[in-house]
Amino acid sequence: MSIIFKDSTFKIDTKNTTYSMKIIDFGYLMHGYYGGKISDLDLQYVCPKTPDRSYIAAPEADKKMLLRLNDVPQEYSGYGIGDFRTTALRLKHADGSRAADLRYFSHEITDGAVSLDGLPSARQNGEDGVSSLKITLKDTASEVFVHLYYTVFENTDVIARTTIVENKGETPVFVEKAASLQLDFLNGDMDLIQLSGAWARERQIVRTHLHDGFQGFASRRGTSSHQHNPFFVLCDKNTDEWSGSAYGVHLMYSGNHRTEIELSQYGAARVLVGINDEGFSYEVKSNEKFTAPQAFFTHSENGLSKMSENLHKFIRRHIFAPQWYGSRRPLLINNWEATYFDFDEDKLVSLAETAGKLGIELLVMDDGWFGHREGDDSSLGDWVPYKKRLAGGLEPLARRVNEKGVKFGIWVEPEMISEDSDLYLNHPDWVMCIPNRPRTVGRNQFVLDLAKEEVKQYVLDAVLNILGSADIAYMKWDMNRYLTDAYSKSLQAENQGETYHRYVLALYDILNTITEKYPHLLIEHCSGGGGRFDTGMLYYSPQIWTSDDTDAAERVNIQFGTSLGYPITSMGSHLSASPNHQTGRLTSFDTRAAVAYSGTFGYELDINRLTDDEREQIKKQCAFYKEHYDLINYGRYYRLADEHGKFAAWCFMSPDSKEILLTAVNLSSGANDADRLLRIPCADKNLRYTDTQTGENYFGDTLCRLGIALPFTMGERISFIKHFTAE
Ligand code: DGJ
């Protein structure tokens, strides 16, 4: 068992890490340590004990005033009782007070993973070495119990945590803030790496050094957002891909989130991750509970690449539903950038026909097939085929596509409503908005009030109806605006602070029912590209459309950033037209493919308008991707070079290190540039590799320490793909 309790200390060991907590004076739960594996059990000495400081606050019972919560690394801190840093829990009691004074009450150690009511949680999925710890803390002055849950995945070096607040008192309590996790580090001399950006520029790597006071990032958009992903890294300032300490932390949640990091006056770092508490207030009635979303994290002593490797493995094994673990998903073509709204049944069938001949396995019919949708200003909510485009409905189209040897997939945006729709005519009150206030519109559409039971049911029925009407193998689930005017007509005035969260719970509920009924339906989530790219969504679908930016040069950065925390197999990645529709940039067919291969590969252009030569290339590309499918989707992935906007390289490696697939992209060349030596530090030093195209041989230690030579080439965005095998 990887969890032990001895001498008031909890020690959690995974293969390479240790996490430690101790019950200290007055029942407070101290956080002792988290990082690379250590042997000592009792870490009481990390609890500061310098006496005689002015301006301190200590519990009244501590006559020597030694225990100062403001200085103690704590496992889960309460508000208003002498810890002046940002704290994990803030309650509103019946008397209007906000305090929470949390002391150890009990604990329990069990086998297996914890699953949460209504929220996604990491799954055991048949793996050994999974156990859970529940520590219950109690507020001194109320009957509020706080259950801290830890599920330990020994083999992947990951710990998942969540917090459940239970009210055993007689009067309701409002949870105004309940972090999913708190991590206190005595030494906050670290860098924060966050994934920030914008629409079509998601998840750019932003690295800053922690400084005194407050820092962090959040979403207030109702979704996890394009702007700030609910994933981050804390690492030493010298940590690079191959060396140094790195903590990677994910919040498994698709709504408003917040990561707060505060450096104390003594340089200690407090990290809190959870639902964004701005405007949040959740009523917990007598004998009810509030469950915070799960967060999970890993630690690596071998730099960012090992941290990413742990998280990639973990997400594939323990977040994806078991049917997608190691699955072979179809290589697809999506008609969005091929036709936009200008399509009908024949055009789609003709795309499918060409696709089938080239080796593409699935055709996705994107936006525009329903209601009377001619553009983005109508019909959302009317999930019936648009007669003008699909006279016979979905069934004959799907059948004709299937007859070409290609599976059929469909686009939906079920959380939305257009003013120009039958749904709006019948249910204008289903729009999420605040009574007597002007509404906010986004992309000509409104958000449905999913927290309202009948609206949720309508959305579920609409999707099930579509799925039942034809042979549909894939569904692209889009969401093209953020939430505003957050107010649910199903909630009382004092409960409006629950609206954002209840929206997410309703969405998860819908997805749960759909995936239970259609476990083999492949869902690709999307929110204007990567606006809801999070592990909450990956729990229901193993792939997400990474970005609306399909430009290969810009995708390199987006995919690199995403790869820090998310597996390659989760990133929808398509070869699109040149000039690119988002940037106007020209990029060769080869390079567009080289970049798009690093994800769930597909096409997003009119393959009927290509030259014969280009179609021949597609055939080869499809064959290449299929040949290397397992290596790309389930191999180890390493970022080798990231010279922003100039040069990038990455590689995939088989579990036994005997196969390496390397991609390098020269994003912009200069006059009189030299050949470039590219090191492959992950190569096995004891193996001898052969370049399968040229037959050249290299010892692994040479690849590792000296590297291979990439020739200087004129022109922009030139790519190299190299494949090495070893005996
Ligand atoms: C936004 C998506 O990201 C695109 O791929 C496309 O599906 C459009 N929505 C359709 O409206």
Side-chain angles (χ1 to χ4, degrees):
M1 181 69 84
S2 50
I3 306 169
I4 55 165
F5 179 66
K6 207 176 151 208
D7 303 336
S8 305
T9 300
F10 296 96
K11 188 164 188 276
I12 300 175
D13 283 315
T14 66
K15 246 193 203 160
N16 301 296
T17 69
T18 295
Y19 189 106
S20 165
M21 302 162 262
K22 185 175 173 70
I23 306 164
I24 56 168
D25 293 351
F26 310 104
Y28 288 107
L29 188 60
M30 180 189 86
H31 175 80
Y33 172 78
Y34 177 46
K37 207 161 193 158
I38 59 173
S39 306
D40 273 310
L41 183 70
D42 191 347
L43 305 177
Q44 170 83 44
Y45 65 91
V46 306
C47 186
K49 39 189 167 321
T50 332
D52 296 335
R53 277 186 183 140
S54 293
Y55 286 101
I56 56 155
E60 194 176 356
D62 178 11
K63 298 295 175 219
K64 293 186 182 156
M65 298 209 296
L66 286 178
L67 186 95
R68 298 180 303 269
L69 291 178
N70 192 58
D71 303 346
V72 176
Q74 291 176 69
E75 192 56 23
Y76 202 77
S77 52
Y79 178 78
I81 53 153
D83 186 343
F84 302 104
R85 296 170 287 181
T86 179
T87 44
L89 185 73
R90 191 171 65 246
L91 303 169
K92 189 173 144 206
H93 301 278
D95 63 2
S97 63
R98 256 65 178 188
D101 187 357
L102 303 173
R103 317 280 180 103
Y104 171 82
F105 184 79
S106 64
H107 75 270
E108 192 184 350
I109 298 171
T110 48
D111 276 336
V114 166
S115 62
L116 305 179
D117 202 16
L119 283 161
S121 54
R123 320 168 196 249
Q124 180 163 2
N125 276 350
E127 175 127 328
D128 294 339
V130 180
S131 48
S132 295
L133 165 67
K134 171 184 167 188
I135 304 178
T136 298
L137 310 176
K138 184 185 174 302
D139 179 29
T140 43
S142 73
E143 291 305 305
V144 171
F145 291 77
V146 176
H147 309 289
L148 307 179
Y149 282 90
Y150 304 77
T151 298
V152 183
F153 296 85
E154 213 175 324
N155 299 329
T156 26
D157 286 324
V158 169
I159 300 175
R161 276 183 64 176
T162 194
T163 304
I164 295 183
V165 179
E166 184 177 10
N167 179 12
K168 292 192 185 169
E170 280 168 11
T171 46
V173 165
F174 286 83
V175 174
E176 293 190 335
K177 179 180 183 185
S180 295
L181 70 73
Q182 171 174 331
L183 280 173
D184 272 6
F185 295 92
L186 277 180
N187 182 0
D189 186 15
M190 289 190 281
D191 280 359
L192 164 68
I193 302 178
Q194 64 194 71
L195 300 180
S196 296
W199 171 76
R201 187 162 38 81
E202 297 91 336
R203 293 175 297 286
Q204 307 289 311
I205 297 175
V206 179
R207 185 165 177 162
T208 45
H209 194 62
L210 296 187
H211 54 80
D212 277 8
F214 216 61
Q215 54 234 278
F217 54 88
S219 166
R220 304 174 188 89
R221 295 166 189 263
T223 62
S224 47
S225 88
H226 299 89
Q227 285 71 14
H228 299 293
N229 194 263
F231 165 77
F232 65 94
V233 180
L234 279 176
C235 58
D236 288 347
K237 47 179 187 278
N238 298 322
T239 294
D240 59 19
E241 289 291 343
W242 310 102
S243 66
S245 159
Y247 298 89
V249 185
H250 269 284
L251 179 68
M252 206 190 310
Y253 190 59
S254 312
N256 287 345
H257 59 88
R258 187 163 181 206
T259 290
E260 300 172 89
I261 303 178
E262 186 169 350
L263 268 205
S264 78
Q265 57 198 330
Y266 305 117
R270 165 157 300 168
V271 180
L272 296 176
V273 180
I275 289 181
N276 191 340
D277 58 311
E278 291 172 56
F280 176 79
S281 167
Y282 198 98
E283 182 179 7
V284 188
K285 298 202 175 90
S286 175
N287 291 317
E288 289 190 353
K289 294 176 183 166
F290 167 76
T291 305
Q294 200 173 58
F296 61 90
F297 47 85
T298 191
H299 175 258
S300 146
E301 274 186 335
N302 301 105
L304 298 172
S305 60
K306 178 67 180 143
M307 176 207 73
S308 297
E309 189 186 325
N310 291 353
L311 293 171
H312 291 187
K313 254 197 217 155
F314 182 76
I315 290 170
R316 292 187 311 234
R317 184 84 178 96
H318 298 288
I319 303 295
F320 286 2
Q323 62 272 26
W324 303 119
Y325 173 59
S327 66
R328 166 73 172 81
R329 282 174 257 133
L331 202 165
L332 62 84
I333 178 158
N334 180 305
N335 76 311
W336 180 241
E337 289 194 21
T339 67
Y340 295 101
F341 290 105
D342 180 19
F343 68 87
D344 59 14
E345 180 176 320
D346 285 345
K347 205 171 203 174
L348 294 176
V349 173
S350 131
L351 274 177
E353 184 171 12
T354 312
K357 288 182 190 151
L358 302 179
I360 299 171
E361 298 157 317
L362 185 141
L363 172 93
V364 185
M365 172 174 66
D366 210 279
D367 194 355
W369 63 266
F370 50 92
H372 56 277
R373 188 139 161 116
E374 291 288 343
D376 64 14
D377 55 356
S378 86
S379 306
L380 293 168
D382 298 348
W383 298 107
V384 285
Y386 185 9
K387 288 271 170 296
K388 186 182 120 183
R389 300 193 203 284
L390 310 175
L394 293 177
E395 197 282 327
L397 167 64
R399 188 168 18 88
R400 287 178 67 195
V401 168
N402 290 168
E403 280 162 11
K404 306 294 175 198
V406 173
K407 291 182 181 163
F408 177 65
I410 196 166
W411 176 97
V412 290
E413 195 182 358
E415 299 157 66
M416 297 292 152
I417 179 168
S418 306
E419 195 158 3
D420 177 7
S421 68
D422 291 345
L423 184 66
Y424 188 87
L425 272 180
N426 296 326
H427 298 287
D429 56 319
W430 284 9
V431 169
M432 187 183 286
C433 61
I434 305 172
N436 308 318
R437 269 187 190 275
R439 301 180 304 196
T440 315
V441 72
R443 208 201 190 199
N444 298 305
Q445 64 199 50
F446 296 106
V447 182
L448 285 167
D449 179 3
L450 284 194
K452 210 169 147 79
E453 192 55 37
E454 56 177 333
V455 180
K456 182 174 88 177
Q457 195 56 45
Y458 174 84
V459 169
L460 176 62
D461 291 345
V463 176
L464 290 178
N465 196 27
I466 295 168
L467 291 172
S469 69
D471 188 357
I472 296 173
Y474 162 110
M475 182 169 255
K476 178 174 171 188
W477 186 297
D478 206 346
M479 200 249 190
N480 284 301
R481 60 159 291 180
Y482 304 120
L483 270 62
T484 53
D485 318 307
Y487 186 97
S488 176
K489 296 184 189 75
S490 65
L491 297 171
Q492 300 295 319
E494 66 272 24
N495 298 114
Q496 289 301 329
E498 298 171 21
T499 305
Y500 280 115
H501 183 53
R502 287 195 179 273
Y503 181 93
V504 180
L505 292 179
L507 174 65
Y508 287 156
D509 194 21
I510 294 168
L511 289 170
N512 228 12
T513 311
I514 294 169
T515 49
E516 266 171 21
K517 193 155 188 239
Y518 291 96
H520 296 287
L521 170 77
L522 174 60
I523 301 178
E524 177 156 347
H525 277 288
C526 172
S527 177
R532 207 160 51 180
F533 203 115
D534 56 68
T535 49
M537 287 289 122
L538 288 177
Y539 183 82
Y540 299 101
S541 66
Q543 61 195 60
I544 301 178
W545 183 225
T546 313
S547 176
D548 273 348
D549 185 354
T550 58
D551 177 284
E554 302 208 332
R555 266 298 184 112
V556 167
N557 297 331
I558 296 171
Q559 293 176 189
F560 256 30
T562 309
S563 78
L564 267 186
Y566 297 88
I568 301 309
T569 193
S570 67
M571 292 185 225
S573 174
H574 300 169
L575 186 159
S576 64
S578 178
N580 178 267
H581 292 191
Q582 291 78 41
T583 60
R585 192 179 272 126
L586 291 162
T587 303
S588 72
F589 221 75
D590 279 353
T591 297
R592 279 179 279 155
V595 174
Y597 288 149
S598 295
T600 53
F601 181 55
Y603 291 86
E604 182 121 1
L605 77 175
D606 191 346
I607 46 177
N608 284 332
R609 290 216 203 143
L610 300 179
T611 62
D612 288 346
D613 178 51
E614 285 170 325
R615 271 194 286 270
E616 276 310 303
Q617 287 190 58
I618 291 188
K619 262 193 206 163
K620 289 189 189 136
Q621 291 166 352
C622 291
F624 174 90
Y625 188 73
K626 288 174 192 171
E627 185 189 340
H628 298 292
Y629 189 92
D630 285 347
L631 192 56
I632 293 173
N633 286 273
Y634 301 110
R636 286 181 273 154
Y637 165 86
Y638 298 101
R639 295 167 293 270
L640 299 178
D642 181 11
E643 295 167 24
H644 218 77
K646 190 158 168 55
F647 179 78
W650 58 94
C651 75
F652 300 95
M653 245 177 109
S654 59
D656 63 3
S657 305
K658 288 187 172 165
E659 201 181 351
I660 300 176
L661 184 67
L662 176 143
T663 306
V665 190
N666 199 5
L667 293 165
S668 109
S669 31
N672 196 19
D673 270 354
D675 288 358
R676 179 185 284 273
L677 282 175
L678 176 69
R679 288 175 57 229
I680 311 176
C682 52
D684 186 326
K685 296 189 193 72
N686 300 313
L687 292 176
R688 191 151 195 234
Y689 291 91
T690 307
D691 179 328
T692 58
Q693 283 118 31
T694 63
E696 285 160 339
N697 293 314
Y698 301 87
F699 283 105
D701 51 10
T702 312
L703 291 181
C704 215
R705 296 181 173 127
L706 178 65
I708 51 160
L710 296 175
F712 163 66
T713 350
M714 302 267 282
E716 294 221 302
R717 292 174 294 289
I718 288 158
S719 53
F720 307 87
I721 293 186
K722 285 187 167 285
H723 181 234
F724 302 92
T725 53
E727 281 308 305

